[in-house]
Amino acid sequence: MVNWSNMDTLTAYNALDKVDKVDLISVMSGEDGVKRVKEMSVQMGGGLSYNYAAKEVDEKIIDALANLAKEAQLTEKYAALYNGEVINTGEKRLVLHQLTRGQLGNDVVADNVNKRDFYINEQNKIADFAKKVHSGEIANAAGEKFTTVVQIGIGGSDLGPRAMYLALENWAKKNNTFKMEAKFISNVDPDDAAAVLNSIDVAHSIFVLVSKSGTTLETLTNESFVKDALKKAGLDPSKHMIAVTSETSPLAKSADYLAAFFMDDYIGGRFSSTSSVGGAVLSLAFGPEVFADFLEGAAQEDALAKNEDIRNNPAMLDALIGVYERNVLGYPATAVLPYSQALSRFPAHLQQLDMESNGKSVNRFGEPINYKTGPVIFGEPGTNGQHSFYQLLHQGTDIVPLQFIGFKNNQLGTDVDIQGSTSQQKLCANVAAQIVAFACGKKDANANKNFAGARPSSIIIGNKLDPKALGALLAHFENKVMFQGFVWNINSFDQEGVQLGKVLAKKVLAHETDGALKIYSDLLNI
């Protein structure tokens, strides 16, 4: 039987603070550091590995975290999730995003439908549609091929798919799987839609409208903006638009769309990149085979998350180390630092994934909790970040744990040897240097040049960023967030915090305001 208990009631959690702390500078120096880097690594899916040598943990702390994982029943709670129990207590829903990429346990039947079969069917429908677009069987009014796909969505309908597209764009071009350029419209700011429309040939563009409910204000506003542009170009919008929505939404059977592909209430927006939300745009951009490989990488990582031994479960281990940093060491934030330009928008996606999921102050039952939950997530690709906010990370008053991501090889294979090393070697040299610099620091009599060190980090390492590696990387962080939510006994799968602003915005637009809300509305000339 699974028990949902607050973290501070668990014996294993209360024992954590009594375990001796690790002197990171000491253990990362000399031969001790060499041994740690070689031994403290876990294999992930997609050919990746998770190395946690530069974290403030040792075998005693890992043992204590393993005890916490056992007492918190993390393995059992994950099994309850993928076997179809109601895990999203706030909305009384199942949580099934893992099921979009593989069968992990029992058949899950909801709404009298086998959900795995449902997701596979939608993937097959998307694959068939994409192939017809690529072949020209589905074309514009002039019989010409579509060359651009534009996704219209916001939040999880934009951040994840956009990050995944950018991550694979150059890889696809190098490997001859690039089919169509993708663009994204998300912000209700009219400049966003106008800028995208000005950059494309609308006559050769197909638009993907993504809204589960079919009522998302920003998305429907941008749809109207796009339809207006199509009409002004003498085009029939219904011949240029497809919908990704739920079967019960007003968009599902509308004649306004070439086709409709479905998701359901069991896939949260920020977890939807492996559903039709990501599947349509990525299959159109790169081909359905690439999307299938992406799903395979995610499925490999999901399978590893079932492992009861945290030393062989990278997502659970990463999650528990993060809990230790947040709740025992008291660190308020985490920086995600991909040393890959292809992952330029990945930190933005993780901001939503982590902060929308675990930014909660009540438990699963709506009761206040007395401990910290999700950290602030931010990041930027290296080496750009080194010339931006690393100053604070190295010498600021707060210690911020770091999650590096690095690859041995670049995607395009194009490089140049300058001053005895290639650009890729210089990039990787910076990753290695930063990890050691953060961990070990440097003593200097000049206080302005003194580096205290003891800044913990981990690194996920791969050979090259390809679809399987990307899928595994995505699933790793999704599962990390899930496990942390289980430990904190919060519901990681609702997002009530985004609702209040929406309600008030509607009041403003209806001119039903008073007090400060009216004054701010007047200041903005609404």
Side-chain angles (χ1 to χ4, degrees):
M1 179 180 176
V2 172
N3 296 307
W4 300 94
S5 303
N6 283 3
M7 182 179 70
D8 56 1
T9 68
L10 302 178
T11 301
Y13 170 68
N14 290 301
L16 260 178
D17 197 38
K18 299 178 177 64
V19 182
D20 291 340
K21 305 298 187 293
V22 168
D23 182 338
L24 189 59
I25 297 174
S26 175
V27 299
M28 281 297 290
S29 301
E31 287 303 312
D32 287 342
V34 172
K35 184 179 180 182
R36 281 175 69 91
V37 176
K38 287 181 178 179
E39 294 180 355
M40 299 177 75
S41 187
V42 184
Q43 285 303 119
M44 298 171 55
L48 303 173
S49 63
Y50 169 70
N51 188 292
Y52 58 103
K55 287 291 192 180
E56 292 173 286
V57 297
D58 58 12
E59 289 303 304
K60 289 181 180 179
I61 292 173
I62 297 298
D63 286 340
L65 292 174
N67 291 337
L68 178 59
K70 185 175 182 179
E71 188 178 357
Q73 297 180 291
L74 299 191
T75 301
E76 292 89 339
K77 288 171 182 175
Y78 181 38
L81 182 149
Y82 61 68
N83 283 320
E85 294 188 24
V86 177
I87 299 298
N88 180 351
T89 50
E91 297 171 316
K92 296 179 174 58
R93 292 174 180 169
L94 287 65
V95 176
L96 300 181
H97 54 275
Q98 282 94 347
L99 202 58
T100 62
R101 55 242 193 181
Q103 188 81 44
L104 288 166
N106 303 330
D107 285 344
V108 177
V109 177
D111 308 323
N112 298 314
V113 172
N114 181 301
K115 298 310 294 186
R116 176 61 181 156
D117 291 346
F118 171 79
Y119 298 138
I120 291 174
N121 182 59
E122 293 307 309
Q123 290 163 11
N124 290 338
K125 282 168 53 182
I126 288 170
D128 181 62
F129 182 84
K131 288 175 182 177
K132 288 178 179 177
V133 170
H134 298 153
S135 69
E137 184 177 341
I138 295 176
N140 69 5
E144 298 162 337
K145 285 186 177 182
F146 291 112
T147 57
T148 303
V149 53
V150 181
Q151 179 121 323
I152 307 170
I154 197 165
S157 301
D158 168 74
L159 287 165
R162 188 195 295 250
M164 301 308 117
Y165 171 77
L166 292 174
L168 294 178
E169 181 180 20
N170 284 330
W171 177 90
K173 289 175 179 176
K174 175 67 175 179
N175 289 274
N176 299 315
T177 67
F178 188 81
K179 308 293 184 182
M180 303 171 69
E181 182 182 28
K183 300 278 190 175
F184 297 83
I185 298 172
S186 58
N187 200 329
V188 75
D189 181 343
D191 286 346
D192 187 19
V196 171
L197 291 169
N198 288 338
S199 72
I200 63 174
D201 174 6
V202 293
H204 295 88
S205 299
I206 190 165
F207 297 85
V208 184
L209 182 78
V210 184
S211 174
K212 186 191 299 183
S213 66
T215 62
T216 310
L217 175 66
E218 295 95 335
T219 301
L220 296 184
T221 300
N222 281 325
E223 179 193 27
S224 297
F225 202 104
V226 168
K227 283 183 174 180
D228 184 64
L230 288 166
K231 289 174 184 175
K232 287 177 177 176
L235 301 168
D236 179 355
S238 69
K239 304 300 182 185
H240 286 260
M241 303 194 80
I242 65 175
V244 175
T245 189
S246 68
E247 289 182 292
T248 58
S249 93
L251 310 180
K253 295 183 175 67
S254 172
D256 291 342
Y257 307 99
L258 276 168
F261 305 108
F262 301 127
M263 52 178 160
D264 55 40
D265 285 337
Y266 312 122
I267 309 292
R270 56 195 175 277
F271 298 97
S272 66
S273 291
T274 54
S275 75
S276 299
V277 174
V281 65
L282 296 177
S283 295
L284 285 165
F286 306 133
E289 297 82 6
V290 171
F291 185 65
D293 282 345
F294 171 63
L295 296 180
E296 172 60 24
Q300 290 175 9
E301 190 64 20
D302 288 341
L304 287 173
K306 297 172 69 173
N307 202 318
E308 292 184 27
D309 178 5
I310 68 168
R311 289 176 172 83
N312 292 301
N313 185 330
M316 189 184 291
L317 179 60
D318 193 3
L320 288 162
I321 293 173
V323 168
Y324 179 72
E325 290 173 333
R326 185 77 175 108
N327 297 105
V328 177
L329 301 180
Y331 301 147
T334 296
V336 180
L337 308 169
Y339 275 64
S340 166
Q341 187 59 31
L343 292 174
S344 61
R345 291 295 289 170
F346 195 65
H349 169 59
L350 294 188
Q351 281 182 333
Q352 186 200 14
L353 174 66
D354 201 312
M355 295 169 72
E356 192 168 87
S357 296
N358 289 343
K360 311 291 172 62
S361 56
V362 298
N363 69 12
R364 297 170 54 78
F365 310 109
E367 302 161 343
I369 50 179
N370 300 313
Y371 45 82
K372 304 294 184 183
T373 57
V376 173
I377 304 294
F378 68 97
E380 188 74 14
T383 56
N384 295 19
Q386 292 176 203
H387 296 267
S388 174
F389 51 80
Y390 276 39
Q391 169 63 42
L392 184 147
L393 299 182
H394 275 293
Q395 293 183 305
T397 53
D398 280 314
I399 292 179
V400 178
L402 317 164
Q403 290 201 304
F404 291 97
I405 303 168
F407 297 91
K408 299 173 186 177
N409 298 291
N410 63 3
Q411 289 182 317
L412 291 176
T414 303
D415 210 340
V416 61
D417 192 306
I418 300 175
Q419 297 177 339
S421 60
T422 66
S423 297
Q424 183 66 23
Q425 288 171 330
K426 290 179 174 66
L427 179 70
C428 291
N430 273 279
V431 185
Q434 290 294 333
I435 293 172
V436 174
F438 277 118
C440 299
K442 181 180 74 73
K443 292 186 182 300
D444 197 296
N446 181 339
N448 201 45
K449 295 183 179 182
N450 187 70
F451 290 76
R455 264 66 172 168
S457 69
S458 62
I459 182 168
I460 293 174
I461 301 174
N463 181 51
K464 183 183 292 186
L465 182 58
D466 60 20
K468 287 184 180 179
L470 181 64
L473 189 66
L474 175 70
H476 172 86
F477 283 101
E478 289 179 346
N479 293 332
K480 173 188 176 181
V481 165
M482 171 192 71
F483 283 131
Q484 288 185 331
F486 288 161
V487 175
W488 288 321
N489 198 33
I490 57 178
N491 180 12
S492 300
F493 305 106
D494 66 2
Q495 56 285 327
E496 292 299 328
V498 306
Q499 301 303 325
L500 178 58
K502 292 181 180 180
V503 172
L504 294 181
K506 288 180 179 178
K507 287 187 175 183
V508 171
L509 293 172
H511 301 289
E512 298 171 354
T513 58
D514 55 21
L517 189 59
K518 184 180 189 311
I519 300 303
Y520 279 116
S521 302
D522 292 343
L523 286 172
L524 289 163
N525 196 32
I526 300 169

